[in-house]
């Protein structure tokens, strides 16, 4: 469970990450969108937030759909021009790779043991 709790999707092409259901927002407590969904589809994927002509985010759509703090975090996610496959990353390490050491630190801290 620790891996799932502290992992999030790293956006590549945005095709496999669901906007409203997956953990993909960096630097937030839950890594999930908390903005109200409104009229948008529950199955909306992140690629639908891209502006393909500008090879970046469609800031107008993002400002319509998300709360201000989520707008900022989304717009700061770098989009890789090669659009690789979305993948899981581990936010507790700078390189995004899971490590037993950082998982142990989280577990020890949650259990009240000095890390």
């Amino acid at each position: 469970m620790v891996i799932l709790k502290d992992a999030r999707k790293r956006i590549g092409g945005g095709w496999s990450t669901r906007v409203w259901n997956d953990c993909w927002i960096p630097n937030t407590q839950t890594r999930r969108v908390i903005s109200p969904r409104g009229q948008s589809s529950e199955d909306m994927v992140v690629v639908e937030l891209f502006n393909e002509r500008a090879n970046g985010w469609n800031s107008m759509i993002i400002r319509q759909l998300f709360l201000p703090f989520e707008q900022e975090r989304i717009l700061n996610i770098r989009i890789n021009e090669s659009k690789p496959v979305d993948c899981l990353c581990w936010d507790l390490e700078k390189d995004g790779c899971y490590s037993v050491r950082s998982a142990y630190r989280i577990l020890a801290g949650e259990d009240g043991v000095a890390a």
Side-chain angles (χ1 to χ4, degrees):
M1 287 306 267
V2 171
I3 294 173
L4 293 177
K5 179 179 166 270
D6 291 303
R8 70 173 168 83
K9 288 274 198 103
R10 179 176 287 160
I11 303 303
W15 291 101
S16 67
T17 303
R18 295 168 301 161
V19 171
W20 307 106
N21 298 318
D22 290 333
C23 298
W24 65 280
I25 309 283
N27 304 316
T28 62
Q29 187 174 8
T30 65
R31 295 169 184 79
R32 291 182 189 269
V33 172
I34 64 166
S35 298
R37 186 165 41 93
Q39 300 295 320
S40 58
S41 165
E42 185 175 346
D43 295 328
M44 181 181 202
V45 290
V46 171
V47 71
E48 295 176 61
L49 303 174
F50 292 171
N51 179 341
E52 291 299 324
R53 283 174 281 173
N55 202 21
W57 295 102
N58 185 328
S59 60
M60 186 166 60
I61 290 175
I62 289 169
R63 295 198 193 289
Q64 290 173 353
L65 292 176
F66 302 102
L67 296 169
F69 80 95
E70 287 177 337
Q71 294 170 18
E72 177 187 340
R73 285 173 177 86
I74 292 168
L75 293 170
N76 283 321
I77 298 172
R78 286 189 53 223
I79 297 176
N80 187 327
E81 291 182 29
S82 66
K83 307 280 192 299
V85 175
D86 299 346
C87 62
L88 281 178
C89 69
W90 181 251
D91 276 346
L92 301 177
E93 294 289 345
K94 288 180 183 177
D95 63 2
C97 295
Y98 171 81
S99 78
V100 173
R101 188 184 88 187
S102 60
Y104 175 79
R105 283 191 309 229
I106 286 296
L107 288 171
E110 288 179 357
D111 293 338
V113 177

